[in-house]
Amino acid sequence: MTTQRVRGCCPHDCPDTCATITEVRDGRAVAFYADPEHPITQGWLCAKVRPYLERVYSPDRLLYPLRRVGPKGSGRWERISWDEAITTIAERWQAIIAEYGAAAILPYSYSGTLGLLQTAIVDARLWNRMGASGLDRTICCAAAHAAVYATLGARRSPDYDDLRHSRLIILWGHNPASAGPHAMPFIRQAQRAGAYVVVIDPRRTATARSADLHLAIRPATDGALALGMMNVIFAENLHDEAWLEAHTVGWRELRARAAEYDPERVATITGLPVSTIIELARRYATTKPAIIKTADGIQRHQNGGQTFRALLCLPAVVGQYGVRGGGLAYSTGGYATWDAEAVGHASECPPVPRTVNMNRLGAALTGEVTDPPIMSLFVYCANPLASSPNAGLIEQGLRREDLFTVVHELFMTDTARYADIVLPATSQLEHLDLHRAYGHRYLTLNQPAIAPLGEAKSNWDVTRLLAQAMGYSEPWLHESAEEAIRGVLDASRARNPFLAGITFERLQQEGTIRLTLSPENEVPFADGHFPTPSGKVELWSATMAAQGLDPLPHYEPPAEYVAHPPEEGWLTLISAAAHHFVSSSMANQPSLRAKEGEPTIEINPVDAAARNIRDGDVVVVSNQRGQCHLRAVVSTNVPPGVVSAVKGHWPSLSPDGRNVNWTTPDALADLGGQSTFHSNRVQVWPSRI
Ligand SMILES: Nc1nc2c(c(=O)[nH]1)N[C@H]1C(S)=C(S)[C@@H](COP(=O)(O)OP(=O)(O)OC[C@H]3O[C@@H](n4cnc5c(=O)[nH]c(N)nc54)[C@H](O)[C@@H]3O)O[C@H]1N2
Ligand SMILES: Nc1nc2c(c(=O)[nH]1)N[C@H]1C(S)=C(S)[C@@H](COP(=O)(O)OP(=O)(O)OC[C@H]3O[C@@H](n4cnc5c(=O)[nH]c(N)nc54)[C@H](O)[C@@H]3O)O[C@H]1N2
Ligand code: SF4
Ligand SMILES: [Mo]
């Protein structure tokens, strides 16, 4: 029997976008492994995705459309045909449109897959054509994006292998050992060659354990630390004045702002010793190349935008942008930008009637959004009941008898359980897509390796069926998957030099292709040009001033921290990435659940003793929004005042049917409408169950 090898890539929300190979025999995938030749993947996959065929061939895969027959959430279903499912949806939508207008229909999606077709195109075309409510996709990285665009003008970062050139690496609010593991070998290599690695994270993560220095900063105080470092650097004349003069706007204003953050004040805010702050500043200013590598966790605070702005200013102060091994590594997502019109055809559609912030889903479903209210929710590539904030309120919304909910999924998630119609989705092995990465600068084509399981259909195929049933005849709603991808790639290439020479044919042959980087832009911003309005690094941002925002970075504590002080027993709950899941994806896979263990909360011995909590006790974690039960792990991995419970556990696989998001805030951050998961204060007590 012949074995076919099909090239693809991991679709999950992870910066590494690993290149993969699937071996297929007789129509069945028999092996799945990393492409040994990809320079970043380097022949290995993470613990989550190595057993991927367990996910693809899981007995729990949804294989047929289902219609609810019991009360909402009861889990009673009957199998229906695709024809019936699509007709039912289209009829309900036509009726809703006739009565309320299309704005009453809300698509809800995020990062189940990151493909151009199954995500970007599907997120836009049908909904634009329909005039449905727009979704502000702000759950993950909106504050950082706003900060980056205001400061640098584009999301550009080096590849991981450039870390080998760094002499100082500050991993700031970032846990790559779990959340972007392919950076780790390069960090190790730099460390072996003498680089000094600092981790700034309230938790002692796996990444922190392997660093030369771990600073367990108080949550949400990083903006103050960054400004305190600038204070020392300016005061000791360690800044790069020539670079600041040539390449920045507003460095003197920034210096004046930083003067407010003397090390003593910053020590009081951050909980770090004065000497540590001064030493870190000196080390950062005098060790070159120095890179700050950060990610998304740090911005999930109410002050996340200004915090990120402060981080972005630091490399400018010491003249490290444009230097190989220096600068700031956040995201490479700004290179392979897709042509927005080709993706969404918005100019041919009615204007988006309104946008709903995805972090406010519960509120939106229960009265915050009116005129018209949301009468239908179409969820795909997302599991809001597990992953979105203030989930108790979302559950209340999903229970609404008058809400028509459709969920397109691979598995019966907690969210899908509340649907009126459930549609089965294909896995990455069963559909075509094109992927850019946010951690490196390669494009990868994912070729389908096997036929869809059961009656599963891809997001794009569902879009096409719905478009047809709704009577939308635009050709861009009926293209084949390949035509849709080619169309966007060709239109984008025509405008974007980073895509020069990258064609669909080449992708078919080569699988993965490095973006086209000239010697001047191989190192981000090496040409000295920043695509901001001034062409410089905007330390003082006119764009932000025009929006009524502080044009300089500043520190302000989250309102929830002020309202719920530690003296009254409140603890800060951080809910960061789990090692064995990607958000809630994979968190139903038995082998990975076994490795990750049951849902726990880490608590410092001091806080545990004060509450009479012993290691292994079940505790109630609660606040004004809700509660969940978790098993306590008493550990110095978290400092006093901070507790940690990973995100991603499925509520239905948790002790009381709830997870940590029953407590997390749905308040929005200072920039971009960003989520604020970690600006969360809770009470923790022993439970009687
Ligand atoms: N294994 C795994 N990998 C993942 C994911 C996953 O769920 N599991 N999720 C993916 C997604 S969606 C994303 S966005 C990325 C996120 O990638 P990261 O941002 O690296 O991951 P997080 O765990 O969200 O946050 C990083 C760290 O920030 C710390 N942190 C929280 N608040 C603060 C603070 O105020 N200051 C400082 N200095 N640190 C703070 C947390 O303790 C955590 O260790 O990872 C992706 N990769
Ligand atoms: N407490 C807490 N919660 C958090 C965070 C945090 O830091 N703390 N981080 C947040 C972050 S950074 C993010 S990005 C969000 C992620 O939140 P979501 O985007 O909701 O991600 P998941 O929970 O992984 O759910 C994705 C779902 O998409 C499905 N899926 C996968 N591929 C496909 C497909 O091709 N088609 C369809 N129709 N479905 C598919 C998967 O089976 C999965 O159930 O979570 C957020 N939640
Ligand atoms: S989750 Fe990340 S590290 Fe794991 S296989 Fe996917 S892209 Fe690679
Ligand atoms: Mo994310």
Side-chain angles (χ1 to χ4, degrees):
M1 206 183 296
T2 55
T3 303
Q4 275 173 281
R5 285 184 183 76
V6 184
R7 284 168 179 280
C9 72
C10 174
H12 291 286
D13 192 343
C14 169
D16 297 4
T17 311
C18 291
T20 60
I21 293 173
T22 306
E23 286 188 2
V24 183
R25 229 174 285 151
D26 214 12
R28 191 174 167 92
V30 292
F32 178 82
Y33 49 89
D35 181 344
E37 263 143 44
H38 192 279
I40 304 295
T41 308
Q42 296 208 320
W44 59 280
L45 301 176
C46 68
K48 316 175 278 290
V49 171
R50 264 197 304 272
Y52 209 60
L53 296 184
E54 276 177 35
R55 177 174 165 89
V56 172
Y57 290 114
S58 163
D60 297 334
R61 276 285 299 272
L62 294 166
L63 299 176
Y64 311 102
L66 301 171
R67 186 209 328 262
R68 173 172 72 88
V69 290
K72 288 217 175 195
S74 65
R76 288 177 29 218
W77 308 99
E78 66 177 355
R79 180 177 164 182
I80 56 173
S81 68
W82 268 101
D83 222 21
E84 198 175 345
I86 295 290
T87 309
T88 307
I89 298 167
E91 281 175 7
R92 279 297 289 268
W93 282 355
Q94 298 288 17
I96 288 170
I97 292 169
E99 191 174 347
Y100 298 93
I105 298 168
L106 178 70
Y108 194 93
S109 68
Y110 200 64
S111 63
T113 155
L114 299 186
L116 163 65
L117 177 63
Q118 310 298 349
T119 303
I121 292 176
V122 167
D123 283 350
R125 288 193 187 173
L126 176 66
W127 315 115
N128 284 347
R129 170 64 182 84
M130 191 183 281
S133 274
L135 185 72
D136 251 342
R137 293 189 171 84
T138 48
I139 201 165
C140 178
C141 47
H145 285 201
V148 169
Y149 287 114
T151 317
L152 305 177
R155 273 185 303 147
R156 294 190 193 152
S157 291
D159 289 323
Y160 295 157
D161 43 1
D162 266 17
L163 290 165
R164 287 177 297 191
H165 302 279
S166 308
R167 302 290 302 156
L168 174 64
I169 301 173
I170 302 184
L171 299 167
W172 203 323
H174 177 28
N175 181 19
S178 293
H182 289 80
M184 291 309 286
F186 299 109
I187 295 171
R188 283 294 86 79
Q189 223 175 310
Q191 216 172 5
R192 278 198 297 272
Y196 191 79
V197 177
V198 181
V199 168
I200 304 176
D201 193 316
R203 306 187 304 141
R204 188 161 64 219
T205 58
T207 309
R209 278 194 282 276
S210 66
D212 297 293
L213 177 68
H214 170 217
L215 301 179
I217 192 170
R218 274 194 200 121
T221 64
D222 305 83
L225 177 59
L227 284 157
M229 288 168 69
M230 290 180 225
N231 177 297
V232 176
I233 292 168
F234 283 122
E236 300 189 0
N237 217 14
L238 296 173
H239 61 288
D240 188 336
E241 190 155 332
W243 202 90
L244 285 165
E245 278 294 331
H247 297 291
T248 69
V249 174
W251 76 266
R252 287 188 176 79
E253 288 85 348
L254 179 66
R255 182 175 60 182
R257 175 60 60 82
E260 299 168 23
Y261 292 84
D262 55 84
E264 289 71 25
R265 179 181 172 212
V266 172
T268 314
I269 296 170
T270 58
L272 301 173
V274 171
S275 58
T276 302
I277 296 161
I278 295 174
E279 276 162 31
L280 180 66
R282 287 183 186 151
R283 188 186 283 276
Y284 180 62
T286 57
T287 316
K288 293 176 180 178
I291 194 161
I292 295 173
K293 180 163 162 49
T294 186
D296 289 304
I298 192 169
Q299 72 188 290
R300 290 190 198 113
H301 283 290
Q302 205 172 11
N303 60 13
Q306 290 291 355
T307 300
F308 218 87
R309 278 268 294 148
L311 262 55
L312 288 162
C313 292
L314 271 169
V317 172
V318 294
Q320 286 293 289
Y321 281 118
V323 173
R324 192 179 283 278
L328 186 135
Y330 165 56
S331 165
T332 55
Y335 287 98
T337 46
W338 306 125
D339 183 273
E341 180 58 23
V343 169
H345 291 268
S347 73
E348 298 168 57
C349 298
V352 177
R354 67 175 173 208
T355 55
V356 175
N357 188 306
M358 67 185 301
N359 298 313
R360 303 285 304 166
L361 178 63
L365 293 176
T366 55
E368 184 170 85
V369 169
T370 54
D371 199 22
I374 295 163
M375 300 305 295
S376 178
L377 183 69
F378 187 92
V379 182
Y380 58 101
C381 281
N383 185 7
L385 208 44
S387 289
S388 297
N390 201 1
L393 198 59
I394 299 175
E395 187 175 37
Q396 204 179 307
L398 291 175
R399 282 186 200 279
R400 261 177 51 195
E401 273 306 323
D402 62 342
L403 179 73
F404 177 61
T405 303
V406 181
V407 178
H408 184 206
E409 249 301 345
L410 286 90
F411 296 99
M412 187 58 78
T413 60
D414 291 87
T415 310
R417 196 171 292 277
Y418 279 99
D420 296 282
I421 303 271
V422 176
L423 304 173
T426 42
S427 77
Q428 182 78 343
L429 268 53
E430 298 151 55
H431 57 230
L432 181 73
D433 217 333
L434 177 60
H435 289 253
R436 65 180 184 206
Y438 62 93
H440 59 70
R441 299 180 295 185
Y442 293 79
L443 270 192
T444 309
L445 188 71
N446 181 78
Q447 303 264 18
I450 55 173
L453 265 60
E455 293 180 2
K457 288 190 191 295
S458 72
N459 295 355
W460 178 240
D461 286 342
V462 171
T463 294
R464 297 194 305 173
L465 286 174
L466 287 169
Q468 191 179 11
M470 295 294 288
Y472 304 151
S473 55
E474 287 73 4
W476 39 267
L477 282 166
H478 300 281
E479 293 172 317
S480 68
E482 187 178 319
E483 285 164 349
I485 293 171
R486 274 178 187 275
V488 174
L489 180 63
D490 292 347
S492 306
R493 189 178 52 241
R495 293 181 186 198
N496 184 340
F498 297 119
L499 294 169
I502 303 180
T503 59
F504 192 82
E505 284 72 21
R506 272 192 66 201
L507 285 160
Q508 278 179 311
Q509 277 161 23
E510 299 167 44
T512 184
I513 301 180
R514 188 150 199 259
L515 297 176
T516 307
L517 297 156
S518 60
E520 311 83 70
N521 57 31
E522 174 68 37
V523 173
F525 310 114
D527 59 0
H529 178 73
F530 295 84
T532 56
S534 62
K536 298 182 174 187
V537 180
E538 302 206 348
L539 304 171
W540 191 97
S541 164
T543 314
M544 289 179 60
Q547 292 165 15
L549 299 162
D550 189 344
L552 290 168
H554 70 258
Y555 164 75
E556 196 180 334
E560 176 140 334
Y561 289 8
V562 178
H564 297 307
E567 303 80 68
E568 291 170 18
W570 294 95
L571 299 167
T572 302
L573 171 53
I574 288 179
S575 45
H579 190 73
H580 297 92
F581 316 143
V582 178
S583 297
S584 78
S585 298
M586 267 89 82
N588 60 329
Q589 203 167 311
S591 70
L592 295 177
R593 283 181 64 210
K595 284 188 179 157
E596 185 67 30
E598 65 182 319
T600 57
I601 185 162
E602 285 183 291
I603 183 165
N604 187 274
V606 173
D607 294 322
R611 290 163 180 76
N612 209 10
I613 293 168
R614 284 156 308 172
D615 191 66
D617 282 354
V618 173
V619 294
V620 190
V621 180
S622 68
N623 60 19
Q624 63 280 18
R625 289 173 289 270
Q627 64 170 49
C628 64
H629 285 75
L630 297 167
R631 196 171 293 283
V633 174
V634 178
S635 160
T636 53
N637 282 343
V638 288
V642 175
V643 284
S644 161
V646 296
K647 66 171 172 173
H649 283 288
W650 281 29
S652 53
L653 299 174
S654 300
D656 63 354
R658 306 185 190 110
N659 75 7
V660 69
N661 279 330
W662 261 254
T663 66
T664 52
D666 52 5
L668 305 181
D670 54 350
L671 287 187
Q674 166 70 33
S675 64
T676 58
F677 288 102
H678 306 318
S679 292
N680 184 20
R681 285 262 158 104
V682 295
Q683 297 276 349
V684 181
W685 296 107
S687 154
R688 275 187 226 97
I689 64 164

